[in-house]
Amino acid sequence: MGSASSTPTLASRVPDGWWMSHKRYRYYMLFAMASGILSLGSLVLLVAVSALSKGSQAWAGFLAMLGSPAGLLLSVVVLVPTCFFAVRWLRVGVKIPQVKLGPMPAPGAGMLYVAHFGLLIGVSLLVILLLSGVVA
Amino acid sequence: MKRLEPLWWLLFGAGGFVGAVLLPALYFMVAVGFPLGWFGDPVETFLRMRTLFANPVGQLVLVVGIALPFWHSAHHLRHFVIELGFPHSDRLVGSLLYALAGVGTLVTVGVVGAL
Amino acid sequence: MSEPRIVKFEVFRYSPEGAETGEGKWQTYEVPCPDDYVVLDALNHIKDYIDPTLSHRWSCRMGVCGSCGMMVNGTPNLTCKSFVRDLEHPIRVGPLANFPVVRDLVVELESFMDKLKSVKPWIIRKVEKDVKYGEYLQTPDELDSYRQFSMCINCCLCYAACPVMINEPDFIGPAAIALGFRYNQDSRDEGEAERYAVLAGEHGVWNCSYANECSEVCPKHVDPAAAVNREKLVSALQWLHILPKKGA
């Protein structure tokens, strides 16, 4: 490094518990934790598929377990962070693809917002329609 | 692990997208709607689910929907641990988390394949 | 105009002469502040009338030079843009976080300068075109693809806000990556392949966890987080050989 390094300096300090020091940081750390909770949701779905493969009795057992107060509490613990995650992910994700990739022109922010949230609404409707039996 | 950073990031991104777009509705139906009987009794939902996911397309959706979020969480938790002040254990923590996601993926493929 | 109001400031003090202890301390000053005072005015008042030993950097007083960045009540900000009337009192002014302190509010920027240079922030051509063939032309769309990233004033607020910087001081960081990205996006440039090793290397974009803090604090609305994460997308596709590297 340059000549200035001969001057004694005070090392930059790590603020203790920096993530609690600012509202935006706290919000970001919540987002990071919500990211982890996605996998908890995936695990529950994995158990569901496993029950499904074992037959109708195992499936009924799984539904009874998830329908119990503890099961419903688990669903709140999964769904609230997952929805929070989905909205922030799709919102901040809009910034990334606004770049020219090869011959394709860079998509605009407005178009990406519509695409991201359109996809969320479209896929959700499709899942609900298919699984509820409205569309066979 | 460091050489594969683009791969981890692509898996993280894909998992985040699946987690954001597919997981909320799928989880809501399977873990809330079905158990509370809003969409039919257990026998009805059993038959409906088996029919829906008896084909390769449905099974692919399940594998992608369940396994990719594991990769997403692993990558984000790895960065979370660094930010909590443990950058020097990154190699260990990262390898461990990605290994877990890998195991999760294999189990998912096995479980969905048994449908 | 109303009477100036007395405002308490807690200012970080450190002098290399007392370096053995390695400690800085907070010193309180009471400054008469007219309604239109910014934090920099108050610091200059302290230096001129209360305590000439206080050291701080500043130049233009209008958010252009980028030298008066400090932590104001815990948030990185240009002190020339921080109005005293908008802040909670007492106002705590410290040196930019994530940099070594040379004295009081003055930080060591040597490592930042090295990081800036490492991304080769200039137009690289394989073969330079002779001037007699005219200038390099660029469409408005081509200009827009990098324009905002060229507005950086190197004030380093983004480095002080970045949560990655705290734990990984070698991360080349938001401003340097945004500048490298700016040249990669420039239609006249052919240096993308040369910058790849640094931007997508060990201390490059993959360290970023997209907390977006850099963009939150940027006084010029450069949005470094967008640049860093677009660079991730581009270099991931290049890693997969889906996209070519310009100049490879």
Coordinates of all heavy atoms in Angstrom, one line a residue, chain A residues 1-5 7-15 18 21-22 24-25 28 31 88 91-103, chain C residues 12 14 16 19 22 75 98-101 108 110-111 114 161 163 166 185 209-213 215-217 223 225-226 229-230 233-234 237 243:
Chain A
M1 N 0.8 -1.2 0.0 CA 0.0 0.0 0.0 C 0.9 1.3 0.0 O 2.1 1.2 0.1 CB -0.9 0.0 1.2 CG -2.1 -0.9 1.0 SD -3.5 -0.4 2.1 CE -4.4 -1.9 2.1
G2 N 0.2 2.4 -0.1 CA 0.9 3.7 -0.2 C 1.6 4.1 1.0 O 1.7 3.4 2.0
S3 N 2.1 5.4 0.9 CA 2.9 5.9 2.0 C 2.1 6.1 3.3 O 2.7 6.0 4.4 CB 3.5 7.3 1.6 OG 2.4 8.1 1.3
A4 N 0.8 6.2 3.2 CA 0.0 6.5 4.3 C 0.0 5.4 5.3 O -0.3 5.5 6.5 CB -1.5 6.8 3.9
S5 N 0.4 4.2 4.9 CA 0.3 3.0 5.8 C 1.4 3.1 6.9 O 1.3 2.4 7.9 CB 0.5 1.7 5.0 OG 1.8 1.8 4.3
T7 N 1.5 5.6 8.8 CA 0.8 6.3 9.9 C 0.0 5.3 10.7 O -0.7 4.4 10.1 CB -0.2 7.3 9.3 OG1 0.4 8.1 8.3 CG2 -0.8 8.2 10.3
P8 N 0.1 5.3 12.0 CA -0.7 4.4 12.7 C -2.2 4.7 12.6 O -2.6 5.9 12.6 CB -0.2 4.6 14.2 CG 0.5 5.8 14.2 CD 1.0 6.1 12.8
T9 N -3.0 3.7 12.3 CA -4.4 3.9 12.1 C -5.2 3.1 13.1 O -4.7 2.1 13.7 CB -4.9 3.5 10.7 OG1 -4.5 2.2 10.5 CG2 -4.3 4.4 9.7
L10 N -6.4 3.5 13.4 CA -7.3 2.8 14.2 C -8.1 1.8 13.4 O -8.7 2.3 12.4 CB -8.2 3.8 15.0 CG -9.2 3.2 15.9 CD1 -8.5 2.6 17.1 CD2 -10.2 4.3 16.4
A11 N -7.9 0.6 13.6 CA -8.6 -0.4 12.8 C -10.1 -0.2 12.8 O -10.7 0.2 13.9 CB -8.3 -1.8 13.3
S12 N -10.8 -0.4 11.7 CA -12.2 -0.2 11.7 C -12.8 -1.3 12.6 O -12.4 -2.4 12.7 CB -12.7 -0.5 10.2 OG -12.5 -1.8 9.8
R13 N -13.8 -0.8 13.3 CA -14.3 -1.8 14.3 C -15.6 -2.4 13.9 O -16.4 -1.8 13.1 CB -14.6 -1.0 15.6 CG -13.4 -0.6 16.4 CD -13.6 0.7 17.0 NE -14.1 1.7 16.1 CZ -14.9 2.6 16.3 NH1 -15.4 2.7 17.5 NH2 -15.3 3.5 15.4
V14 N -15.8 -3.6 14.2 CA -17.1 -4.3 13.9 C -18.1 -3.9 15.0 O -17.9 -4.2 16.2 CB -16.9 -5.8 14.0 CG1 -18.3 -6.5 13.7 CG2 -15.9 -6.3 13.0
P15 N -19.1 -3.2 14.6 CA -20.1 -2.8 15.6 C -20.8 -4.0 16.1 O -21.2 -4.9 15.4 CB -21.1 -1.9 14.8 CG -20.6 -1.8 13.4 CD -19.5 -2.8 13.2
W18 N -24.3 -5.5 14.8 CA -24.7 -4.5 13.9 C -26.1 -4.7 13.3 O -26.8 -3.7 13.0 CB -23.6 -4.4 12.8 CG -23.6 -5.7 11.9 CD1 -22.8 -6.7 12.2 CD2 -24.4 -6.0 10.8 NE1 -23.0 -7.7 11.2 CE2 -24.0 -7.3 10.4 CE3 -25.4 -5.3 10.1 CZ2 -24.6 -7.9 9.3 CZ3 -26.0 -6.0 9.1 CH2 -25.6 -7.2 8.7
S21 N -28.8 -2.7 14.7 CA -28.6 -1.3 14.9 C -29.4 -0.4 14.0 O -29.4 0.8 14.1 CB -27.1 -1.0 14.7 OG -26.7 -1.1 13.4
H22 N -30.0 -1.0 13.0 CA -30.7 -0.2 12.1 C -32.0 -0.9 11.6 O -32.0 -2.1 11.4 CB -29.8 0.2 10.9 CG -30.3 1.4 10.1 ND1 -31.4 1.4 9.3 CD2 -29.7 2.6 10.0 CE1 -31.5 2.6 8.8 NE2 -30.5 3.4 9.2
R24 N -33.5 -0.9 8.7 CA -33.4 -1.7 7.4 C -32.6 -2.9 7.6 O -32.9 -4.0 7.0 CB -32.7 -0.8 6.4 CG -33.5 0.3 5.8 CD -32.9 0.8 4.5 NE -31.5 1.2 4.7 CZ -31.1 2.4 4.9 NH1 -32.0 3.4 5.0 NH2 -29.8 2.7 5.1
Y25 N -31.5 -2.9 8.4 CA -30.8 -4.1 8.7 C -31.6 -5.2 9.3 O -31.6 -6.4 8.9 CB -29.6 -3.9 9.6 CG -28.4 -3.2 9.0 CD1 -27.5 -2.4 9.8 CD2 -28.1 -3.4 7.7 CE1 -26.4 -1.8 9.2 CE2 -27.0 -2.8 7.1 CZ -26.1 -2.0 7.9 OH -25.0 -1.4 7.4
Y28 N -33.8 -6.7 6.8 CA -33.0 -7.6 5.9 C -32.7 -9.0 6.6 O -32.8 -10.0 6.0 CB -31.7 -6.9 5.5 CG -30.7 -7.9 4.8 CD1 -31.0 -8.4 3.6 CD2 -29.6 -8.4 5.5 CE1 -30.1 -9.3 3.0 CE2 -28.7 -9.3 5.0 CZ -29.0 -9.8 3.7 OH -28.2 -10.7 3.1
F31 N -35.5 -11.2 6.5 CA -35.6 -11.7 5.1 C -34.7 -13.0 5.0 O -35.1 -14.0 4.5 CB -35.3 -10.7 4.1 CG -35.3 -11.2 2.7 CD1 -36.5 -11.6 2.1 CD2 -34.1 -11.2 2.0 CE1 -36.5 -12.0 0.8 CE2 -34.2 -11.7 0.6 CZ -35.3 -12.1 0.1
R88 N -40.9 -9.7 -1.1 CA -39.6 -9.0 -1.1 C -38.7 -9.6 -2.2 O -38.1 -8.8 -3.0 CB -38.8 -9.0 0.2 CG -37.6 -8.1 0.2 CD -36.8 -8.1 1.5 NE -35.8 -7.1 1.5 CZ -34.5 -7.3 1.1 NH1 -34.1 -8.5 0.6 NH2 -33.6 -6.3 1.2
R91 N -39.9 -8.4 -5.5 CA -39.7 -6.9 -5.7 C -38.2 -6.6 -5.9 O -37.9 -5.9 -6.9 CB -40.2 -6.2 -4.4 CG -40.5 -4.8 -4.5 CD -41.4 -4.3 -3.3 NE -40.9 -4.7 -2.0 CZ -39.8 -4.1 -1.5 NH1 -39.2 -3.1 -2.1 NH2 -39.4 -4.5 -0.3
V92 N -37.3 -7.1 -5.1 CA -35.9 -6.7 -5.3 C -35.4 -7.5 -6.5 O -34.4 -7.0 -7.1 CB -35.0 -7.0 -4.0 CG1 -35.5 -6.1 -2.9 CG2 -35.0 -8.5 -3.7
G93 N -36.0 -8.6 -6.9 CA -35.5 -9.3 -8.0 C -35.7 -8.6 -9.3 O -35.1 -8.9 -10.3
V94 N -36.6 -7.6 -9.3 CA -36.9 -6.9 -10.5 C -35.6 -6.1 -11.0 O -35.4 -6.0 -12.2 CB -38.0 -5.8 -10.3 CG1 -38.0 -4.7 -11.3 CG2 -39.3 -6.6 -10.2
K95 N -34.7 -5.8 -10.1 CA -33.5 -5.0 -10.5 C -32.5 -5.8 -11.3 O -31.8 -5.3 -12.1 CB -32.8 -4.5 -9.2 CG -33.5 -3.3 -8.6 CD -32.5 -2.4 -7.9 CE -32.2 -2.9 -6.5 NZ -31.5 -1.8 -5.7
I96 N -32.5 -7.1 -11.1 CA -31.4 -7.9 -11.6 C -31.5 -8.2 -13.1 O -30.5 -7.9 -13.8 CB -31.3 -9.3 -10.8 CG1 -31.1 -9.0 -9.4 CG2 -30.1 -10.1 -11.4 CD1 -31.0 -10.2 -8.5
P97 N -32.6 -8.6 -13.7 CA -32.6 -8.9 -15.1 C -32.6 -7.7 -16.1 O -32.7 -7.9 -17.3 CB -33.8 -9.8 -15.3 CG -34.4 -10.0 -14.0 CD -33.9 -8.9 -13.1
Q98 N -32.5 -6.5 -15.5 CA -32.5 -5.3 -16.4 C -31.2 -5.1 -17.1 O -30.5 -4.1 -16.9 CB -32.9 -4.1 -15.6 CG -34.3 -4.1 -15.1 CD -34.7 -2.9 -14.3 OE1 -34.4 -1.8 -14.8 NE2 -35.2 -3.0 -13.2
V99 N -30.7 -6.1 -17.8 CA -29.4 -6.0 -18.4 C -29.5 -6.7 -19.8 O -30.3 -7.7 -19.9 CB -28.4 -6.6 -17.5 CG1 -28.7 -8.1 -17.2 CG2 -27.0 -6.6 -18.1
K100 N -28.8 -6.2 -20.7 CA -28.8 -6.7 -22.1 C -28.0 -8.0 -22.1 O -26.8 -8.1 -21.7 CB -28.1 -5.7 -23.0 CG -28.3 -6.1 -24.5 CD -27.8 -4.9 -25.3 CE -27.3 -5.3 -26.7 NZ -28.3 -6.1 -27.4
L101 N -28.7 -9.1 -22.4 CA -28.0 -10.4 -22.4 C -27.9 -10.9 -23.9 O -28.9 -11.2 -24.5 CB -28.8 -11.5 -21.6 CG -28.9 -11.2 -20.1 CD1 -29.9 -12.1 -19.5 CD2 -27.6 -11.2 -19.4
G102 N -26.7 -10.9 -24.4 CA -26.6 -11.3 -25.8 C -27.3 -10.3 -26.7 O -27.3 -9.1 -26.5
P103 N -28.1 -10.9 -27.7 CA -28.8 -10.0 -28.6 C -30.1 -9.4 -28.1 O -30.7 -8.5 -28.6 CB -29.1 -10.9 -29.8 CG -29.1 -12.3 -29.2 CD -28.2 -12.3 -28.0
Chain C
F12 N -16.5 11.8 17.2 CA -15.5 10.8 17.4 C -14.1 11.4 17.3 O -13.8 12.1 16.4 CB -15.6 9.6 16.4 CG -14.7 8.5 16.7 CD1 -15.1 7.5 17.5 CD2 -13.5 8.3 16.0 CE1 -14.3 6.4 17.8 CE2 -12.7 7.2 16.3 CZ -13.1 6.3 17.2
Y14 N -9.9 10.6 17.6 CA -8.8 9.6 17.6 C -7.5 10.3 17.1 O -7.6 11.0 16.1 CB -9.0 8.4 16.8 CG -7.8 7.5 16.5 CD1 -7.3 6.7 17.5 CD2 -7.1 7.6 15.3 CE1 -6.2 5.9 17.2 CE2 -6.0 6.9 15.0 CZ -5.5 6.0 16.0 OH -4.4 5.3 15.8
P16 N -3.4 9.5 16.2 CA -2.3 8.5 16.0 C -1.3 8.6 17.1 O -0.6 7.6 17.4 CB -1.8 8.7 14.6 CG -2.2 10.1 14.2 CD -3.4 10.4 15.0
A19 N -1.7 6.2 19.9 CA -2.1 5.0 19.2 C -1.9 3.8 20.1 O -2.6 2.7 19.8 CB -1.4 4.8 17.9
G22 N -5.0 2.4 21.2 CA -5.8 1.9 20.1 C -7.3 2.3 20.2 O -8.2 1.8 19.6
T75 N -25.7 6.2 10.6 CA -25.9 6.0 9.2 C -24.9 6.7 8.3 O -24.7 7.9 8.5 CB -27.4 6.4 8.8 OG1 -28.3 5.8 9.6 CG2 -27.7 6.0 7.3
N98 N -16.2 0.6 8.6 CA -15.5 -0.3 7.7 C -14.2 0.2 7.0 O -13.7 -0.3 6.1 CB -16.4 -0.9 6.6 CG -17.6 -1.6 7.2 OD1 -17.6 -2.1 8.3 ND2 -18.7 -1.6 6.4
F99 N -13.7 1.3 7.6 CA -12.4 1.9 7.1 C -11.5 2.1 8.3 O -12.0 2.5 9.4 CB -12.6 3.2 6.4 CG -13.2 3.0 5.0 CD1 -14.5 3.2 4.8 CD2 -12.4 2.7 3.9 CE1 -15.1 3.1 3.5 CE2 -12.9 2.5 2.6 CZ -14.3 2.8 2.5
P100 N -10.2 1.9 8.2 CA -9.3 2.3 9.3 C -9.3 3.8 9.5 O -9.5 4.5 8.5 CB -7.9 1.8 8.8 CG -8.1 1.0 7.6 CD -9.5 1.4 7.1
V101 N -9.2 4.3 10.7 CA -9.2 5.7 11.0 C -7.8 6.3 11.0 O -7.0 5.8 11.8 CB -10.0 6.0 12.3 CG1 -10.1 7.5 12.6 CG2 -11.4 5.4 12.2
E108 N -8.8 6.1 6.2 CA -7.8 5.6 5.3 C -8.4 5.1 4.0 O -9.2 4.1 4.1 CB -6.9 4.6 6.0 CG -6.0 3.7 5.1 CD -4.8 4.5 4.6 OE1 -5.0 5.2 3.6 OE2 -3.8 4.5 5.2
E110 N -6.8 4.2 1.1 CA -5.8 3.5 0.3 C -6.4 2.2 -0.3 O -6.3 1.9 -1.5 CB -4.6 3.2 1.1 CG -3.3 3.1 0.3 CD -2.9 4.4 -0.4 OE1 -3.3 5.5 0.2 OE2 -2.3 4.4 -1.4
S111 N -7.0 1.4 0.6 CA -7.5 0.0 0.1 C -8.6 0.2 -0.9 O -8.7 -0.5 -1.9 CB -8.0 -0.8 1.3 OG -9.2 -0.2 1.8
D114 N -7.1 1.0 -4.3 CA -6.6 -0.2 -4.9 C -7.7 -1.0 -5.5 O -7.6 -1.6 -6.6 CB -5.8 -1.1 -3.9 CG -4.5 -0.4 -3.5 OD1 -4.0 0.5 -4.2 OD2 -4.0 -0.8 -2.4
A161 N -21.9 1.2 4.6 CA -23.2 0.6 4.8 C -23.2 -0.9 4.6 O -24.1 -1.6 5.1 CB -24.2 1.3 3.9
P163 N -23.0 -4.7 4.8 CA -22.8 -5.7 5.8 C -21.8 -6.7 5.5 O -21.3 -7.4 6.4 CB -24.2 -6.3 6.0 CG -25.0 -6.0 4.8 CD -24.4 -4.8 4.2
I166 N -18.1 -5.6 6.6 CA -17.8 -5.8 8.0 C -16.9 -7.0 8.2 O -15.9 -7.0 8.9 CB -19.0 -5.8 8.9 CG1 -19.8 -4.5 8.8 CG2 -18.7 -6.1 10.3 CD1 -21.2 -4.6 9.5
Q185 N -20.6 -2.6 -19.5 CA -21.8 -2.4 -20.3 C -21.6 -1.4 -21.4 O -22.5 -1.2 -22.2 CB -22.9 -1.8 -19.3 CG -23.4 -2.8 -18.3 CD -24.1 -4.0 -19.0 OE1 -25.1 -3.8 -19.7 NE2 -23.6 -5.2 -18.9
S209 N -24.4 -10.3 -0.6 CA -25.6 -11.1 -0.2 C -26.9 -10.3 -0.5 O -28.0 -10.6 0.0 CB -25.6 -11.5 1.3 OG -25.4 -10.3 2.1
Y210 N -26.7 -9.2 -1.3 CA -27.8 -8.4 -1.7 C -28.7 -7.8 -0.6 O -29.9 -8.0 -0.6 CB -28.7 -9.1 -2.7 CG -29.6 -8.3 -3.6 CD1 -30.4 -8.9 -4.6 CD2 -29.6 -6.9 -3.5 CE1 -31.2 -8.1 -5.4 CE2 -30.5 -6.1 -4.3 CZ -31.2 -6.7 -5.3 OH -32.1 -6.0 -6.1
A211 N -28.0 -7.2 0.4 CA -28.8 -6.6 1.5 C -29.4 -5.3 0.9 O -30.3 -4.7 1.6 CB -27.9 -6.3 2.7
N212 N -28.8 -4.8 -0.2 CA -29.3 -3.5 -0.8 C -28.9 -2.3 0.0 O -29.4 -1.2 -0.4 CB -30.8 -3.6 -1.0 CG -31.3 -2.7 -2.2 OD1 -30.6 -2.6 -3.2 ND2 -32.4 -2.0 -2.0
E213 N -28.1 -2.4 1.0 CA -27.8 -1.2 1.8 C -27.0 -0.2 1.0 O -27.2 1.0 1.2 CB -27.0 -1.6 3.1 CG -27.9 -2.2 4.2 CD -28.9 -1.2 4.6 OE1 -28.6 -0.1 4.9 OE2 -30.1 -1.6 4.7
S215 N -27.3 0.7 -2.0 CA -28.2 1.5 -2.8 C -29.1 2.4 -2.0 O -29.4 3.5 -2.4 CB -29.1 0.6 -3.7 OG -28.3 -0.1 -4.6
E216 N -29.4 2.0 -0.8 CA -30.2 2.8 0.2 C -29.4 4.1 0.5 O -30.0 5.1 0.7 CB -30.5 2.0 1.5 CG -31.4 0.8 1.3 CD -32.9 1.2 1.1 OE1 -33.2 2.4 1.2 OE2 -33.7 0.3 0.8
V217 N -28.1 4.0 0.7 CA -27.4 5.2 1.2 C -26.7 6.0 0.1 O -26.3 7.1 0.4 CB -26.3 4.8 2.3 CG1 -26.9 4.1 3.5 CG2 -25.2 3.9 1.6
D223 N -27.5 3.2 -7.4 CA -27.9 1.8 -7.3 C -26.9 0.7 -7.5 O -27.0 -0.1 -8.4 CB -29.1 1.6 -8.2 CG -30.0 0.4 -7.8 OD1 -29.6 -0.3 -6.9 OD2 -31.1 0.2 -8.4
A225 N -26.2 -1.9 -5.9 CA -26.7 -3.3 -5.7 C -27.2 -3.8 -7.0 O -27.1 -5.0 -7.3 CB -27.8 -3.3 -4.7
A226 N -27.9 -3.0 -7.8 CA -28.3 -3.4 -9.2 C -27.1 -3.8 -10.0 O -27.1 -4.9 -10.6 CB -29.1 -2.4 -9.8
N229 N -25.6 -7.2 -8.7 CA -26.4 -8.4 -9.0 C -26.6 -8.6 -10.5 O -26.7 -9.8 -10.9 CB -27.7 -8.3 -8.2 CG -27.4 -8.6 -6.7 OD1 -27.3 -9.7 -6.3 ND2 -27.3 -7.5 -6.0
R230 N -26.6 -7.6 -11.3 CA -26.6 -7.8 -12.8 C -25.3 -8.5 -13.2 O -25.2 -9.3 -14.1 CB -26.8 -6.5 -13.5 CG -28.2 -6.0 -13.4 CD -28.5 -4.7 -14.0 NE -29.7 -4.1 -13.4 CZ -30.1 -2.9 -13.6 NH1 -29.5 -2.1 -14.5 NH2 -31.2 -2.5 -13.0
L233 N -25.5 -12.1 -12.6 CA -26.3 -12.8 -13.6 C -25.4 -13.0 -14.9 O -25.3 -14.1 -15.4 CB -27.5 -12.0 -13.9 CG -28.4 -12.6 -15.0 CD1 -29.0 -13.9 -14.7 CD2 -29.6 -11.6 -15.3
V234 N -24.8 -11.9 -15.3 CA -24.0 -11.9 -16.6 C -22.8 -12.9 -16.4 O -22.6 -13.8 -17.2 CB -23.5 -10.5 -16.9 CG1 -22.5 -10.6 -18.1 CG2 -24.6 -9.6 -17.3
L237 N -23.9 -16.6 -16.4 CA -24.2 -17.1 -17.7 C -22.9 -17.3 -18.5 O -22.8 -18.2 -19.4 CB -25.2 -16.1 -18.4 CG -26.6 -16.1 -17.8 CD1 -27.4 -15.0 -18.5 CD2 -27.2 -17.4 -17.8
L243 N -23.3 -17.1 -22.4 CA -22.9 -15.8 -23.0 C -21.4 -15.7 -23.2 O -20.7 -16.2 -22.4 CB -23.3 -14.7 -21.9 CG -24.7 -14.1 -21.9 CD1 -24.7 -13.0 -20.9 CD2 -25.2 -13.6 -23.2

